[in-house]
């Protein structure tokens, strides 16, 4: 059998070698796989897979996908789709605007694997670069909103508004179950709020300011600037509703806040919105980082992550995730939200936009946008055409023109389309023209010609037409970081300095269980910056985006072939959003049958913390099912719970292979049992990397499954996001997938509300997964899954004598990940899983997943992309650490359990080069415990971070520069 390393050279098929990418993606081939198979007692892959994957779940046929295609062939095919996308000049607005991403940021962050292949910064000592970038983002949000704290990003503006509603209920002292929404809010935001409110049991009341003042609400949300672009001071209405114990939120255009009075100055408790305008392409809807700012007293009720400032063991300033979604695994159904993936990469881009431009630069851009709108409005007003009227006197970027008749409005709208401009219709006679950072003199000529039949040039004077009462008077972006990096050299070096502080996949293996940190190939990443995929508005006319729809449809067909489901919804823009959309489809299905009582959700005790949190958000009652000693669902307990709750059983949420990394033999029986009691099976797709081309979730009985495209299907983790979590559904659930008010999803029912702001979620990153599946093909995907299973079992076999492997299947095998038990070593030596995680940094590795799903353990997932050589280095590191722990226990060479390389890890360059050395082990042992490290040493930039200090002294804004000296 030929491989790309040794192709057949006597045929053109061999010479073209279309499956070459498969062997680029796989870390080991041929002899290396044979060596690993031999290590675990097998002569060939087939016999190993037969012993590892239960026959009862095995797929007895090939999946219905083409064979692998080469990188250039796949890119060429995707290019034909991109060519069918028309990128008009967008003046649509409605929460999305064309931007200019600075090239230095695009090349050195967005297109740089040092940034996009990093993991969520749970291990702070090797994530100081990303943490600083996120702290910058938080500072931007704090400065512009005027509030005391801000999170490190949420998924999008609409879901952030829904989170504000939920937070208002937690914080408000009102007994009401009504939530007020400003009638000026964007339709997509209102739609998501209504979806979320229904299953919390809250009523959404939409109206004007008078209705807000007169009603009894636990929370109120106002739009600033409104859907029609109007700017209204919210001070009075916020003061009035707060007298009624109403918690207030303001949805704000981030760019407008550069000029406008801040939400805090108007009395808001929460401010939120999208940061897309800070240099992030529209991307047909995403990904975009939402900001979420709030008062200090609300920090324990805020959704998502907050980055905070602490100190390390040497007394130096160090950053960490101060409040984070890891709390879900403790709080579970009592968690503030189910958010797991945020939008870290996009938040970093937006924050760096502010760093690069600085306060003067962003004010120049915001003022230019507003001055364009003002000049255009002046042309309309001065044209002497009684048919045309500017609707609002106070606006930021959007000018709404009432054309007097539907006929004239249609004519202007269609003429604009004909010359390459997209405007927005607001009713029969109104047209909105939203100016942006990219607006130029030529646009002004064209737009004025369209409306008044005469081309106008921009006036010499740039006028700010906003009344003084609307303008902010306080300074923004005063911190040195926003005033130091405005030349490209300075910016380039700043970005590089941050990148060098972080351990990402471009340095070494990140073997995080359940997180599937695999290769994010360059050819997969290239298309996301093609202008056709990057620069299209999500509400552009359908006629302009057939290529986009073709690509999305193609990915849906690929995922249907892989999973066996009848339909796929692409709207959920994270795994947690996919969980929500999946349970939403189940609840809607039960409602369609008149069974609204089916609100019990069974969840195994081993499940991800997001599962019970999601069930709670769907208004379901969580009933925990026990697991047995092997990590499987306890069938007897499940049967008992099914019988107890039979009349009200709504769903079972189950991860497969299990969260314990094992193929459960009884999965078909489990699904049949749930169905026999009228429930539906939701399968969590976190561990789908063990399924592809070997089994299909639909085939074994799952009704709905969310797929983490940022795991199994190669969208990079981006330091903690973006992600995508589309759901596959059986035919009976498909009618209940999320739709969209403004851009109907072509395979969804009309009356189903949305779960995300954009119709296809974060559409611009979908080409990554399309490319991966196309280049792997049915043959490559099978090889990929086989090797993922082999690598995990090889790790388990090599480590089992040093660290007990906690769970295994009947044949003693794990699935794609294994859990090693640190508790016996801790009992013997006092060395903890945290000590091992920190010491691994000295060996050049990121720690595996700590203490999940079992406290005192490490969960290891090597994936198929890692070579045997890299895996062996990782194994050697863990074996060496075990030996170090035993040496500390024995007291050899003066080592003690209180003073040894593990408890003092990680060791920074400053510690190693310090004149005094107060440790019983050598500097050599501290920095270079194994010989391979000398060739590729990664130095943690801070020593062990003091979490307790950070918790007691919570600080979540940029510290002064003196703190770093």
């Amino acid at each position: 059998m030929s491989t790309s390393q040794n192709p057949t050279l006597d045929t053109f098929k061999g010479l073209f070698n279309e499956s070459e990418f498969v062997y680029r993606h796989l870390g080991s081939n041929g002899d290396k796989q044979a060596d690993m198979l031999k290590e675990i007692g097998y002569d060939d892959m087939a016999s190993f897979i037969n012993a590892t994957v239960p026959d009862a779940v095995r797929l007895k046929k090939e999946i219905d996908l083409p064979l692998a295609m080469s990188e250039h062939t796949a890119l060429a095919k995707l290019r034909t789709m991109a060519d069918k996308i028309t990128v008009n000049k967008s003046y649509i607005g409605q929460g999305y605007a064309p931007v200019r991403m600075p090239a230095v940021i695009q090349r050195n962050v967005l297109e740089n694997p040092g940034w996009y292949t990093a993991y969520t910064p749970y291990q702070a000592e090797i994530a100081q670069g990303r943490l600083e970038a996120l702290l910058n983002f938080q500072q931007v949000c704090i400065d512009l909103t005027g509030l005391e704290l801000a999170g490190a990003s949420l998924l999008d503006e609409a879901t952030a508004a829904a989170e504000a509603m939920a937070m208002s209920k937690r914080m408000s002292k009102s007994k009401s179950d009504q939530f007020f929404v400003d009638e000026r809010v964007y339709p997509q935001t209102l739609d998501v709020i209504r979806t979320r409110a229904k299953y919390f049991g809250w009523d959404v009341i939409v109206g004007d300011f008078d209705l807000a003042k007169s009603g009894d609400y636990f929370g109120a949300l106002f739009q600033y600037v409104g859907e029609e672009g109007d700017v209204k001071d919210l001070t009075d209405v916020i003061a009035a509703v707060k007298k009624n114990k109403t918690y207030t939120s303001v949805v704000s255009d981030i760019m407008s806040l550069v000029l406008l009075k801040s939400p805090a100055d108007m009395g808001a408790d929460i401010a939120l919105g999208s940061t897309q305008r800070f240099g992030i392409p529209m991307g047909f809807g995403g990904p975009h980082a939402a900001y979420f700012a709030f008062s200090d007293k609300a920090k324990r009720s805020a959704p998502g992550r907050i980055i905070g400032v602490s100190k390390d063991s040497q007394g130096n300033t160090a950053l960490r995730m101060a409040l984070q979604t890891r709390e879900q695994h403790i709080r579970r159904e009592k968690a503030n939200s189910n958010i797991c993936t945020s939008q870290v990469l996009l938040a970093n881009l937006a924050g760096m936009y502010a760093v690069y431009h600085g306060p003067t630069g962003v004010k120049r851009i915001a003022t230019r946008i507003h001055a364009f709108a003002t000049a255009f409005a002046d042309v309309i007003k001065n044209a002497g055409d009684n048919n045309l009227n500017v609707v609002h006197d106070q606006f930021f970027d959007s000018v709404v023109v009432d054309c007097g008749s539907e006929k004239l409005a249609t004519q202007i709208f269609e003429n604009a389309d004909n010359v390459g401009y997209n405007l927005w219709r607001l009713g029969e006679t109104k047209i909105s023209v939203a100016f942006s950072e990219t607006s130029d003199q030529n646009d002004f000529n064209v737009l004025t010609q369209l409306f008044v039949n005469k081309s106008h040039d921009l006036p010499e004077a740039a006028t700010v037409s906003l009344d003084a009462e609307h303008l902010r008077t306080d300074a923004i972006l005063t911190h040195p970081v926003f005033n130091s990096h405005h030349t490209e050299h300075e910016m380039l070096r700043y970005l590089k300095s941050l990148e060098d502080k972080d351990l990402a996949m471009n340095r070494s293996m990140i073997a995080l269980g359940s997180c599937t940190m695999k290769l994010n190939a360059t050819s997969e990443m290239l298309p996301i910056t093609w202008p056709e995929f990057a620069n299209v508005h999500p509400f552009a006319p359908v006629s302009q985006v057939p290529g986009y729809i073709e690509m999305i449809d193609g990915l849906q067909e690929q995922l249907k072939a892989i999973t066996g489901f009848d339909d796929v919804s692409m709207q959920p823009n994270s795994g947690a959003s996919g969980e929500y959309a999946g349970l939403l489809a189940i609840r809607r299905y039960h409602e369609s049958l008149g069974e609204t009582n089916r609100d019990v959700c069974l969840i195994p005790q081993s499940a991800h913390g997001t599962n019970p949190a999601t069930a709670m958000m769907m208004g379901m009652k969580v009933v925990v099912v026990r697991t047995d000693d092997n990590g499987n669902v306890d069938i007897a307990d499940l049967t008992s719970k099914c019988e107890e709750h039979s009349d009200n059983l709504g769903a079972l949420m189950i991860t497969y292979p299990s969260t314990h990394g094992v193929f459960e033999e009884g999965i078909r029986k489990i699904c049949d049992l749930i169905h026999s009691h009228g429930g539906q099976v939701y399968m969590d797709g976190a561990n789908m990397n063990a399924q592809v081309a070997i089994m299909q979730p639909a085939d074994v009985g799952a009704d709905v499954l969310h797929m983490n495209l940022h795991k199994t299907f190669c969208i990079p983790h981006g330091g903690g996001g973006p992600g995508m979590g589309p759901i596959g559904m059986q035919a009976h659930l498909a009618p209940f997938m999320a739709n969209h008010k403004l851009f109907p999803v072509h395979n969804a029912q009309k009356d189903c509300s949305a779960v995300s702001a954009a119709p296809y979620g974060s559409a611009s990153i979908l080409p990554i997964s399309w490319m991966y599946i196309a280049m792997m093909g049915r043959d490559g995907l099978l090889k990929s899954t086989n090797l993922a299973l082999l690598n995990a079992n090889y790790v388990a076999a090599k480590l089992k004598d040093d660290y007990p492997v906690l769970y295994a299947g009947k044949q003693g095998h794990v699935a794609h990940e294994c859990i090693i038990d640190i508790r016996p070593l801790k009992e013997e030596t006092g060395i903890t899983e945290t000590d091992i995680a920190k010491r691994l940094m000295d060996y050049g590795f990121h720690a595996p997943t700590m203490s999940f799903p079992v406290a005192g353990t490490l969960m290891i997932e090597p994936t198929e992309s890692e070579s045997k050589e890299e895996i062996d280095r990782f194994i050697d590191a863990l074996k060496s650490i075990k030996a170090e722990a035993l040496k500390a226990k024995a007291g050899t060479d003066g080592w003690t359990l209180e003073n040894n390389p593990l408890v003092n890890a990680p060791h920074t360059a400053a510690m190693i080069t310090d004149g005094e050395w107060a440790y019983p082990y050598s500097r050599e042992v501290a920095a270079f415990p194994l010989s391979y490290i000398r060739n590729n040493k990664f130095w943690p930039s801070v020593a062990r971070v003091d979490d307790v200090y950070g918790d007691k002294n919570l600080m979540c804004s940029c510290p002064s520069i003196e703190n770093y000296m």
Side-chain angles (χ1 to χ4, degrees):
M1 180 178 175
S2 67
T3 70
S4 66
Q5 284 80 9
N6 187 26
T8 301
L9 302 181
D10 56 358
T11 67
F12 271 106
K13 183 178 180 180
L15 291 170
F16 277 115
N17 198 21
E18 284 290 300
S19 63
E20 181 177 17
F21 177 78
V22 174
Y23 299 93
R24 305 288 190 196
H25 177 81
L26 301 179
S28 299
N29 292 287
D31 293 342
K32 300 296 183 183
Q33 289 189 20
D35 291 344
M36 288 190 286
L37 285 164
K38 184 177 180 181
E39 184 73 33
I40 57 177
Y42 291 92
D43 295 327
D44 56 70
M45 184 69 79
S47 57
F48 161 69
I49 295 298
N50 287 336
T52 302
V53 185
D55 185 67
V57 305
R58 292 281 297 280
L59 190 64
K60 309 302 183 185
K61 61 182 180 180
E62 290 185 321
I63 55 176
D64 186 19
L65 285 175
L67 294 172
M69 60 176 81
S70 67
E71 294 175 63
H72 64 268
T73 303
L75 284 167
K77 186 171 183 179
L78 195 62
R79 180 72 259 171
T80 64
M81 299 180 204
D83 288 342
K84 299 174 188 175
I85 301 170
T86 300
V87 185
N88 271 9
K89 286 265 192 172
S90 182
Y91 279 78
I92 293 173
Q94 299 300 296
Y96 302 89
V99 298
R100 291 194 179 100
M101 180 186 292
V104 65
I105 297 175
Q106 176 173 323
R107 174 63 61 88
N108 294 287
V109 180
L110 179 61
E111 297 174 352
N112 181 352
W115 287 87
Y116 67 70
T117 70
Y119 182 61
T120 306
Y122 287 130
Q123 294 294 333
E125 295 84 355
I126 51 175
Q128 290 295 298
R130 265 167 296 135
L131 288 166
E132 182 172 333
L134 288 173
L135 198 67
N136 293 345
F137 173 82
Q138 289 179 181
Q139 187 68 58
V140 172
C141 303
I142 289 168
D143 280 9
L144 292 176
T145 65
L147 286 157
E148 295 167 290
L149 295 175
S153 80
L154 296 180
L155 296 175
D156 60 35
E157 181 167 296
T159 55
E163 294 291 349
M165 174 177 63
M167 182 170 162
S168 296
K169 186 63 173 175
R170 293 191 291 271
M171 293 296 297
S172 175
K173 295 180 181 178
S174 169
K175 304 288 188 192
S176 171
D177 281 329
Q178 292 190 128
F179 184 71
F180 175 83
V181 177
D182 185 353
E183 63 187 359
R184 299 157 56 253
V185 78
Y186 291 131
Q188 67 269 23
T189 302
L190 177 59
D191 203 29
V192 173
I193 287 173
R194 281 182 162 147
T195 303
R196 197 76 69 87
K198 176 179 178 180
Y199 294 98
F200 278 129
W202 304 330
D203 295 322
V204 176
I205 309 299
V206 181
D208 60 14
F209 290 179
D210 287 339
L211 185 61
K213 294 174 183 177
S214 62
D216 180 18
Y217 313 105
F218 69 82
L221 182 139
F222 300 97
Q223 186 85 38
Y224 181 65
V225 183
E227 179 194 5
E228 290 195 356
D230 56 313
V231 174
K232 292 187 177 181
D233 193 317
L234 304 174
T235 305
D236 290 344
V237 68
I238 288 175
V241 300
K242 288 179 81 167
K243 287 181 180 178
N244 294 329
K245 303 178 181 178
T246 302
Y247 214 70
T248 58
S249 303
V250 173
V251 189
S252 303
D253 178 323
I254 191 75
M255 187 63 78
S256 74
L257 292 182
V258 175
L259 298 185
L260 296 178
K261 183 192 300 185
S262 73
D265 277 352
M266 295 185 291
D269 297 303
I270 301 171
L272 62 103
S274 172
T275 58
Q276 184 262 317
R277 295 193 82 154
F278 272 30
I280 315 299
M282 292 183 289
F284 204 42
H288 306 135
Y291 71 88
F292 197 89
F294 42 90
S295 62
D296 180 76
K297 67 182 179 181
K299 58 180 176 284
R300 288 287 170 186
S301 291
R305 304 171 179 135
I306 306 176
I307 308 307
V309 182
S310 186
K311 294 184 180 298
D312 72 2
S313 62
Q314 306 298 300
N316 300 310
T317 297
L319 310 180
R320 61 190 275 271
M321 291 175 66
L323 298 170
Q324 56 207 17
T325 52
R326 256 193 315 201
E327 292 179 348
Q328 288 163 344
H329 297 310
I330 301 169
R331 303 181 70 181
R332 299 177 76 78
E333 67 269 20
K334 296 180 182 178
N336 287 329
S337 74
N338 74 335
I339 295 167
C340 189
T341 306
S342 61
Q343 300 282 21
V344 170
L345 183 64
L346 292 309
N348 288 340
L349 292 169
M352 290 306 168
Y353 180 92
V355 169
Y356 192 48
H357 287 296
T360 301
V362 294
K363 188 168 185 180
R364 179 185 295 114
I365 293 165
T367 305
R368 186 174 74 236
I369 292 168
H370 172 66
F372 257 105
T374 298
F376 176 76
D378 287 345
V379 168
I380 302 297
K381 292 175 183 177
N382 298 329
D385 188 336
N386 294 328
N387 293 315
L388 301 177
N389 290 291
V390 174
V391 176
H392 302 291
D393 289 332
Q394 297 294 291
F395 49 79
F396 169 62
D397 65 341
S398 297
V399 178
V400 176
V401 180
D402 192 328
C403 301
S405 71
E406 183 178 359
K407 181 179 179 181
L408 180 57
T410 300
Q411 180 184 338
I412 293 172
F413 188 82
E414 291 178 350
N415 287 345
D417 184 17
N418 290 336
V419 295
Y421 285 73
N422 287 343
L423 309 179
W424 187 246
R425 290 291 291 269
L426 283 164
E428 294 180 351
T429 64
K430 294 178 183 176
I431 292 179
S432 175
V433 184
F435 290 85
S436 71
E437 180 183 6
T438 67
S439 298
D440 58 23
Q441 172 70 70
N442 183 66
D443 291 353
F444 196 79
N445 296 149
V446 173
L447 291 167
T448 51
Q449 176 72 45
L450 286 167
F451 279 85
V452 301
N453 297 316
K454 180 182 177 183
S455 175
H456 287 65
D457 290 332
L458 283 167
E460 183 175 341
T463 302
V464 173
S465 60
L466 286 159
D467 291 345
E469 67 188 58
H470 294 307
L471 298 175
R472 73 185 309 145
T473 56
D474 55 322
I476 58 170
L477 306 180
T478 58
H479 190 273
V481 74
F482 303 113
N483 295 276
S484 306
H485 309 293
H486 304 322
T487 68
E488 184 160 336
H489 250 157
E490 287 299 322
M491 189 66 182
L492 180 68
R493 290 166 182 164
Y494 179 57
L495 293 173
K496 180 61 177 171
S497 72
L498 297 188
E499 181 194 347
D500 285 347
K501 295 177 180 179
D502 286 14
L503 187 68
M505 293 278 283
N506 63 336
R507 284 188 178 270
S508 64
M509 167 180 167
I510 299 180
L512 284 151
S514 187
C515 292
T516 316
M517 302 290 289
K518 59 166 70 176
L519 172 71
N520 313 118
T522 307
S523 289
E524 295 158 8
M525 299 297 295
L526 286 175
I528 68 169
T529 52
W530 290 356
E532 296 86 354
F533 289 129
N535 297 336
V536 175
H537 194 289
F539 310 150
V542 178
S543 60
Q544 294 175 12
V545 292
Y548 233 127
I549 301 301
E550 182 181 347
M551 183 272 294
I552 293 170
D553 277 346
L555 180 55
Q556 286 176 321
E557 291 303 313
Q558 291 171 330
L559 295 175
K560 284 158 64 175
I562 289 167
T563 62
F565 286 110
D566 298 303
D567 216 334
V568 171
S569 169
M570 303 303 297
Q571 190 172 115
N573 53 4
S574 76
S577 181
E579 288 183 21
Y580 186 87
L583 285 190
L584 177 64
I586 288 173
R587 294 227 65 183
R588 286 172 171 171
Y589 168 71
H590 287 312
E591 289 166 2
S592 75
L593 301 177
E595 297 181 332
T596 56
N597 57 296
R598 290 196 172 274
D599 62 355
V600 169
C601 188
L602 303 180
I603 301 178
Q605 63 187 168
S606 62
H608 293 87
T610 52
N611 287 178
T614 301
M616 179 276 300
M617 290 169 63
M618 284 304 308
M620 303 187 81
K621 300 179 180 70
V622 174
V623 175
V624 177
V625 179
R626 290 197 296 267
T627 54
D628 64 22
D629 292 341
N630 294 317
N632 300 318
V633 171
D634 185 323
I635 299 295
D637 190 53
L638 177 65
T639 302
S640 173
K641 298 286 171 58
C642 283
E643 290 171 354
E644 180 184 352
H645 300 284
S646 184
D647 292 342
N648 300 310
L649 181 58
L652 166 75
M653 298 184 81
I654 188 167
T655 303
Y656 198 82
S658 73
T659 309
H660 292 143
V662 177
F663 283 105
E664 297 197 40
E665 299 274 349
I667 185 64
R668 286 186 184 274
K669 182 178 180 181
I670 289 170
C671 294
D672 290 343
L673 179 62
I674 298 300
H675 292 149
S676 72
H677 288 273
Q680 296 285 290
V681 177
Y682 165 89
M683 188 175 283
D684 188 309
N687 294 342
M688 200 179 168
N689 211 46
Q691 292 187 17
V692 178
I694 282 183
M695 61 163 286
Q696 289 181 324
D699 176 62
V700 300
D703 297 291
V704 60
L705 164 110
H706 91 261
M707 295 160 263
N708 295 106
L709 299 190
H710 51 287
K711 295 185 183 183
T712 306
F713 298 103
C714 288
I715 290 175
H717 278 66
M724 275 291 281
I727 57 171
M729 295 158 286
Q730 300 278 18
H732 64 282
L733 291 183
F736 306 104
M737 73 172 73
N739 206 336
H740 198 274
K741 287 286 186 187
L742 300 179
F743 194 108
V745 176
H746 57 287
N747 56 334
Q749 281 195 156
K750 187 175 182 179
D751 59 347
C752 287
S753 56
V755 296
S756 301
Y760 298 103
S762 297
S764 69
I765 56 176
L766 295 178
I768 300 170
S769 296
W770 186 96
M771 283 289 295
Y772 169 68
I773 297 170
M775 292 188 296
M776 294 298 284
R778 65 171 184 264
D779 47 340
L781 290 170
L782 179 59
K783 290 183 174 71
S784 175
T785 306
N786 287 345
L787 186 54
L789 297 173
L790 175 58
N791 282 349
N793 280 277
Y794 176 72
V795 168
K798 297 286 281 186
L799 287 177
K800 69 179 188 301
D801 292 338
D802 293 281
Y803 303 93
V805 176
L806 202 53
Y807 300 111
K810 280 186 177 179
Q811 302 298 323
H813 295 161
V814 298
H816 64 305
E817 60 194 13
C818 64
I819 299 174
I820 59 173
D821 196 349
I822 310 302
R823 290 171 297 183
L825 182 66
K826 180 179 179 180
E827 187 173 342
E828 181 181 0
T829 67
I831 296 298
T832 68
E833 67 277 9
T834 298
D835 296 328
I836 294 173
K838 304 307 181 187
R839 182 58 171 156
L840 273 170
M841 298 174 191
D842 291 329
Y843 286 78
F845 286 108
H846 193 291
T849 303
M850 279 202 312
S851 292
F852 174 79
V854 180
T857 65
L858 295 174
M859 184 160 61
I860 302 167
E861 182 179 358
T863 85
E864 72 277 7
S865 293
E866 297 302 337
S867 68
K868 180 177 181 295
E869 291 79 4
E870 181 74 354
I871 294 171
D872 282 338
R873 281 189 287 272
F874 179 74
I875 291 168
D876 289 345
L878 282 173
K879 285 178 173 288
S880 177
I881 288 171
K882 170 74 177 290
E884 289 177 339
L886 295 178
K887 184 175 180 179
K889 180 198 173 189
T892 308
D893 297 332
W895 290 25
T896 67
L897 292 178
E898 294 75 31
N899 193 352
N900 61 71
L902 287 86
V903 297
N904 295 325
H907 299 83
T908 64
M911 291 170 67
I912 298 297
T913 57
D914 188 24
E916 295 185 13
W917 185 252
Y919 307 107
Y921 50 91
S922 68
R923 300 173 201 254
E924 174 91 7
V925 166
F928 305 106
L930 290 176
S931 59
Y932 75 82
I933 301 168
R934 287 194 171 278
N935 298 323
N936 187 31
K937 177 63 181 176
F938 175 80
W939 291 101
S941 54
V942 297
R944 191 173 300 202
V945 175
D946 188 336
D947 290 328
V948 174
Y949 178 90
D951 285 339
K952 291 181 177 179
N953 302 274
L954 186 63
M955 175 181 174
C956 300
S957 56
C958 291
S960 67
I961 201 70
E962 288 78 15
N963 287 60
Y964 294 99
M965 292 180 178

